[in-house]
Amino acid sequence: MMHFDLLQACERIEILRTQINRNNYLYYALDQPEVTDAEYDAQMLELKALEEQFPHLITSDSPTQRVGASPLEAFGVVAHPRPLLSLANAFSDADLESWYNRSLKLLGGRAFEIVCEHKMDGLAIALTYKDGRLVRGATRGDGYNGEDITQNLRTIRSIPLSVAGNAPARFEVRGEVYLPKAGFEKLNRERAEQRMPLFANPRNAAAGSVRQLDPRVTAGRALDVYIYALGYADGELMPATHWETMQYLKSLGFRINPNNRRVATINEAEDYYRQWTDARSSLPYEADGIVMKIDPVAYQEELGDVGREPRWAIAYKFPAVQGRTQLNEIIVSVGRTGTLNPVAVLQPVVVGGVTISRAALHNENDIRRKDIREGDMVFIQRAGDVIPEIVGPTPEMLSRAGRSAPFSLCDKLYDAASMAPVCPVCSAPVFKPQEEVMYYCPNASCSAQVEERLQHFVSRGAMDIRGIGGQMAALLLREGLVQDIADIYMLDGRREELLAIERLGEKSVDNLLLAIDKSKSRPLPRLINALGIRHVGEETAELLAAHFNSLDALSAATETDLTGIPSIGGKIASSIMAFLRNEDNRRIIAKLKAAGVGTLAESATASATDLPLAGYEFVITGKIEHFSRETAEGYIRALGGSAKSDVTKKTNCLVVGLDPGSKLAKARALGIKEINETELLHMLGQA
Ligand code: IVH
């Protein structure tokens, strides 16, 4: 891991928390993840490591202190009497063995058996039974509060509505609702016929099916459930081990996975993992790993939890799923910043329950390095996520005669008339900046670029304008209603023209205009991200917003101001400068402002009361040599302080730079503490 000082750690932690919270929301609340599980795990690991290094930066709302995301409001909210925990992950035998040895040590060397279970890729639920009857079914939600989906869960046949007579008076079981692979494929076939968006994977399909406000929809989906834990039980003596608890629950009528095994040694647990790593594709459902649980309940209680994870269980994740198919063609698509992206068109193939017909190919160098050629049989890999990737050609390809020529982007884009490679959409000659691997279409008005920019602008991580999806963006462009992103905010004056578009009714137009209007108040980082500056994604947008606090201040930034920000290097800084210098972009920014789009940061870290400078108000007078005033103020805010331009009674500290102005006298009259630049740098961890 990179070594961070306090300030960098603060910033990095903020960024990671924002990303993780967003990913939690996308994954748990919307069932539409945008990052891979591996990326998410990496973010979480990095955050945990940083918080371990800087424990005073842990806040109660850090995602490491929570179990998941907030539930949607449409369902009733139920509080879980005992939180639904999450699981730590192991990715190798070494990880698993260190978990095992740690547990053994904590238990003073007492031996234990391990229950191995499939980690079902579905949706966690808790079912409460009272006097033998199912009274409530809830989602996990954030682990403490879930959604009341009782009516929907009642439609799942393998969930008993009542249990046999000898059950505890009140108890809760936990398990996973999932959609078997066959049900998933059928559902997506039907949706394709009805021209509805397809579910990316069975997990999303299951979650989408269970969290339906209309239980009849849930009933129509082939959902199933496996129970894997007893949440709590009142008044009765329960079995002493997890294994026996499962047998007992089975006797009460709950569906328990018959593939569960109890083993005596860690080697046997590893054998079980390997057996199912090989056999998982033959399973009727998706599993993404093996959950290992220490069997004796007394030991589980002794070991307890750490944060949101029990010490007595771990999820040993399966490696990414691979498949093989033919690479029919490599086509080139134009990205929003003009990047010319090679895309693999594949003979459709099912990998881990998902049909894949396209895959990302990163760039020409990558394709050549892996020696991927059109017509090859290739291995593809899907790591529990949406965008599959090509691993490489299958071994027999390498010696095959008659293989097509090594891939060349320039050949692909070659235009006989102009005798040069050109953009496949607008035919402008392409270019490749030095030290970059990508080729670009230089024409900012290229219709593919404009459409991509528009789509990016309205997307969820950006201005989040519901109602303008890919189709609508293309339509608005085609109809000439928008030429750039700012034109979206001019649409309210063009209601009649919108209504003239075929199949756009009054109601749709009203909803669209409402969504556009609502988006005007999106936070600054989203707006910056939405602008679509090359190399500036969500993360950098967060950094820029925290430092500059307004689009105006960012627009006035110099390259030195930008490179003075930790984690912004020369490449990003020069791309931002190029963007800001461009006349068209300045015009777009001015149009956005004129339309009333918010370009100021909300008091950037107002809620960060745990940060070292929280509650302190700073005023700077005179010149600071180390960095620009904007940047200094950005640092102060990043650490929880506020930076004002005038000295008042509320000012806590005056930073006195070179040639201080009248603020100095005013501060002295009020008896306000003064510090010099060196002291400021120390305080900001920059000395
Ligand atoms: S036990 C305290 N067993 O995995 C342990 N969880 O990251 C709680 N999951 O959302 C979970 N199959 O829904 C357990 N056999 C299994 C599981 C399982 C899937 C899910 C669970 C939770 C997630 C934990």
Side-chain angles (χ1 to χ4, degrees):
M1 194 184 74
M2 272 172 67
H3 190 77
F4 285 117
D5 63 27
L6 174 66
L7 178 73
Q8 289 166 329
C10 275
E11 288 180 341
R12 186 72 195 140
I13 284 176
E14 268 307 299
I15 292 168
L16 286 168
R17 284 180 187 162
T18 312
Q19 286 176 342
I20 293 169
N21 284 336
R22 183 178 140 69
N23 289 333
N24 273 344
Y25 175 70
L26 289 171
Y27 188 88
Y28 289 109
L30 301 183
D31 314 323
Q32 278 161 338
E34 286 180 3
V35 295
T36 62
D37 289 5
E39 283 174 283
Y40 178 88
D41 290 341
Q43 289 172 347
M44 205 63 178
L45 278 178
E46 189 186 346
L47 179 58
K48 279 188 198 163
L50 275 172
E51 289 185 347
E52 241 168 64
Q53 217 183 327
F54 299 94
H56 60 288
L57 296 181
I58 299 178
T59 55
S60 57
D61 63 357
S62 170
T64 57
Q65 313 295 305
R66 298 198 327 161
V67 190
S70 319
L72 295 180
E73 280 165 8
F75 292 100
V77 174
V78 296
H80 296 300
R82 287 235 235 138
L84 271 71
L85 298 176
S86 165
L87 289 170
N89 291 322
F91 298 99
S92 62
D93 282 0
D95 287 350
L96 184 72
E97 285 160 24
S98 83
W99 165 77
Y100 177 79
N101 291 329
R102 206 166 47 239
S103 309
L104 199 62
K105 197 165 156 208
L106 286 167
L107 291 169
R110 284 169 290 169
F112 49 79
E113 291 186 299
I114 300 169
V115 178
C116 307
E117 299 175 356
H118 291 179
K119 184 166 190 295
M120 307 297 300
D121 204 5
L123 183 81
I125 53 152
L127 303 168
T128 312
Y129 289 80
K130 205 176 154 207
D131 301 326
R133 282 178 190 283
L134 173 67
V135 292
R136 200 170 79 187
T139 64
R140 167 166 118 160
D142 66 3
Y144 300 97
N145 297 296
E147 291 165 326
D148 187 337
I149 52 163
T150 315
Q151 293 312 323
N152 292 345
L153 292 179
R154 281 179 191 283
T155 68
I156 299 176
R157 286 170 202 274
S158 47
I159 293 182
L161 298 178
S162 60
V163 292
N166 60 345
R170 190 181 178 93
F171 69 99
E172 181 204 273
V173 294
R174 294 168 178 186
E176 197 88 349
V177 169
Y178 67 93
L179 192 61
K181 288 174 187 167
F184 168 71
E185 279 152 25
K186 177 161 166 277
L187 177 60
N188 262 355
R189 264 199 311 275
E190 288 165 5
R191 288 172 78 88
E193 276 161 23
Q194 293 159 19
R195 302 196 170 280
M196 288 168 76
L198 303 188
F199 285 111
N201 53 49
R203 197 205 80 81
N204 289 357
S209 305
V210 158
R211 292 168 61 265
Q212 282 284 340
L213 288 169
D214 182 353
R216 285 170 303 186
V217 177
T218 313
R221 311 251 167 109
L223 293 163
D224 217 329
V225 71
Y226 276 132
I227 298 302
Y228 56 63
L230 177 67
Y232 61 82
D234 282 355
E236 301 279 329
L237 208 59
M238 286 292 117
T241 63
H242 175 68
W243 182 258
E244 283 152 22
T245 307
M246 291 301 105
Q247 304 303 313
Y248 169 66
L249 291 180
K250 193 170 161 192
S251 77
L252 289 182
F254 291 100
R255 192 160 182 266
I256 312 294
N257 193 332
N259 294 317
N260 295 354
R261 284 285 171 279
R262 179 160 62 174
V263 300
T265 66
I266 193 67
N267 290 340
E268 286 173 83
E270 287 167 358
D271 288 345
Y272 180 92
Y273 169 83
R274 251 177 284 289
Q275 176 200 335
W276 287 109
T277 305
D278 296 340
R280 61 195 285 211
S281 63
S282 64
L283 286 170
Y285 52 77
E286 282 282 329
D288 58 347
I290 300 296
V291 185
M292 312 272 183
K293 302 175 177 176
I294 293 178
D295 196 31
V297 174
Y299 287 10
Q300 294 182 356
E301 282 165 6
E302 229 175 281
L303 288 167
D305 313 325
V306 49
R308 57 181 205 149
E309 293 154 3
R311 282 199 191 82
W312 51 267
I314 195 160
Y316 190 177
K317 292 289 195 76
F318 287 140
V321 237
Q322 292 204 342
R324 45 181 287 160
T325 189
Q326 182 160 341
L327 167 60
N328 288 338
E329 195 189 353
I330 298 178
I331 57 169
V332 182
S333 77
V334 185
R336 73 184 143 87
T337 58
T339 44
L340 295 165
N341 309 311
V343 177
V345 181
L346 303 166
Q347 194 61 35
V349 62
V350 178
V351 178
V354 177
T355 305
I356 291 172
S357 52
R358 298 250 163 149
L361 287 163
H362 304 290
N363 56 57
E364 184 177 26
N365 292 357
D366 198 50
I367 299 171
R368 282 172 166 262
R369 194 173 47 77
K370 294 179 179 163
D371 195 19
I372 298 167
R373 307 190 192 184
E374 288 180 320
D376 279 356
M377 281 303 285
V378 290
F379 285 122
I380 53 179
Q381 170 165 301
R382 195 180 66 87
D385 71 327
V386 208
I387 304 171
E389 115 184 304
I390 297 200
V391 184
T394 57
E396 69 270 17
M397 285 299 119
L398 304 176
S399 55
R400 200 182 72 160
R403 242 175 130 206
S404 64
F407 178 72
S408 151
L409 195 82
C410 284
D411 285 356
K412 189 107 231 169
L413 299 176
Y414 186 78
D415 172 53
S418 48
M419 294 198 301
V422 299
C423 168
V425 175
C426 73
S427 299
V430 306
F431 78 105
K432 180 170 170 289
Q434 266 188 350
E435 293 171 40
E436 283 207 28
V437 288
M438 298 305 279
Y439 283 84
Y440 290 87
C441 160
N443 171 17
S445 321
C446 167
S447 65
Q449 275 190 55
V450 178
E451 188 176 327
E452 291 289 327
R453 274 202 298 276
L454 206 58
Q455 283 194 25
H456 170 72
F457 188 82
V458 303
S459 68
R460 259 188 235 106
M463 298 306 265
D464 191 13
I465 305 180
R466 304 281 159 92
I468 307 190
Q471 303 275 354
M472 181 61 106
L475 195 66
L476 292 172
L477 277 174
R478 221 176 29 237
E479 298 286 330
L481 285 165
V482 299
Q483 257 113 48
D484 63 45
I485 51 176
D487 288 340
I488 292 175
Y489 295 100
M490 313 294 157
L491 287 173
D492 55 352
R494 309 183 73 166
R495 206 166 172 277
E496 291 310 313
E497 287 161 87
L498 283 171
L499 282 170
I501 297 179
E502 209 183 324
R503 287 197 307 189
L504 258 191
E506 293 258 351
K507 203 162 155 48
S508 320
V509 170
D510 287 345
N511 285 343
L512 182 66
L513 293 177
L514 200 69
I516 292 174
D517 197 54
K518 254 174 75 180
S519 74
K520 288 181 182 169
S521 53
R522 296 280 178 258
L524 184 59
R526 281 175 170 242
L527 176 61
I528 296 176
N529 175 27
L531 292 175
I533 307 171
R534 192 179 293 169
H535 307 310
V536 176
E538 276 178 46
E539 191 169 323
T540 310
E542 293 274 356
L543 276 175
L544 294 170
H547 280 271
F548 292 103
N549 270 309
S550 74
L551 199 51
D552 281 343
L554 172 62
S555 304
T558 64
E559 191 141 359
T560 330
D561 285 340
L562 291 168
T563 46
I565 301 172
S567 41
I568 294 200
K571 189 168 106 179
I572 302 180
S574 60
S575 158
I576 298 172
M577 290 313 290
F579 181 92
L580 293 171
R581 275 196 213 110
N582 179 294
E583 271 311 311
D584 286 337
N585 294 331
R586 295 196 89 86
R587 195 176 38 78
I588 288 174
I589 290 176
K591 263 163 80 176
L592 288 170
K593 278 186 71 176
V597 175
T599 57
L600 297 177
E602 307 148 3
S603 161
T605 45
S607 62
T609 46
D610 296 343
L611 292 174
L613 301 183
Y616 284 92
E617 193 175 297
F618 288 76
V619 173
I620 300 178
T621 179
K623 186 171 164 33
I624 303 289
E625 285 179 299
H626 186 79
F627 35 39
S628 76
R629 180 176 300 200
E630 300 279 14
T631 307
E633 292 181 350
Y635 277 116
I636 291 172
R637 291 193 190 100
L639 287 176
S642 62
K644 295 280 156 72
S645 50
D646 293 315
V647 172
T648 67
K649 278 191 299 220
K650 283 199 276 172
T651 310
N652 300 95
C653 184
L654 182 75
V655 182
V656 185
L658 277 180
D659 300 325
S662 61
K663 290 175 202 169
L664 181 59
K666 191 166 174 196
R668 290 203 171 143
L670 290 166
I672 288 165
K673 180 178 164 62
E674 290 164 33
I675 61 169
N676 60 25
E677 176 165 348
T678 318
E679 288 167 300
L680 175 71
L681 292 180
H682 271 289
M683 202 177 261
L684 301 179
Q686 291 292 298

